[in-house]
Amino acid sequence: MPPQRSLIAAGELLRALAAPVRIAIVLQLRESERCVHELVDALGVTQPLISQHLRVLKAAGVVFGERSGREVLYRLVDDHLAHIVVDAVAHAEED
């Protein structure tokens, strides 16, 4: 059995991924790094909503943002997180 702190961290990570828009963001970033306006265009939601979800994902250590001129490019911290999301979506589609 993993230590309690690992279980707590895993729970926090799963909570951060537990919103449809955040799942869609992870799937987009799995393909390539994106700036906010690219995510807005791809997902069809407002910029403030994308920014709010990116803050949650960033706080959970799922995404990393790097400034490039006037924009911030977001990317996944690692591929493990994308696998979690892809597997969850595939499982949901089995029904």
Side-chain angles (χ1 to χ4, degrees):
M1 184 79 158
Q4 185 69 18
R5 68 184 181 334
S6 295
L7 297 175
I8 291 169
E12 290 172 2
L13 174 63
L14 292 173
R15 264 192 299 284
L17 295 172
V21 172
R22 291 194 289 266
I23 291 169
I25 289 171
V26 169
L27 292 173
Q28 286 291 310
L29 296 180
R30 178 175 171 253
E31 296 175 16
S32 67
E33 63 185 16
R34 308 278 167 103
C35 60
V36 171
H37 76 83
E38 290 172 317
L39 292 168
V40 167
D41 292 344
L43 302 179
V45 295
T46 65
Q47 181 273 322
L49 186 59
I50 291 290
S51 294
Q52 177 185 355
H53 285 295
L54 283 168
R55 276 192 296 278
V56 171
L57 292 170
K58 192 172 178 182
V62 175
V63 301
F64 172 78
E66 187 172 2
R67 186 159 294 282
S68 176
R70 295 184 64 202
E71 297 179 329
V72 177
L73 292 174
Y74 290 92
R75 62 179 166 83
L76 294 177
V77 169
D78 64 45
D79 288 335
H80 293 105
L81 303 167
H83 292 294
I84 292 169
V85 171
V86 168
D87 287 348
V89 171
H91 178 75
E93 289 179 336
E94 288 176 357
D95 293 336

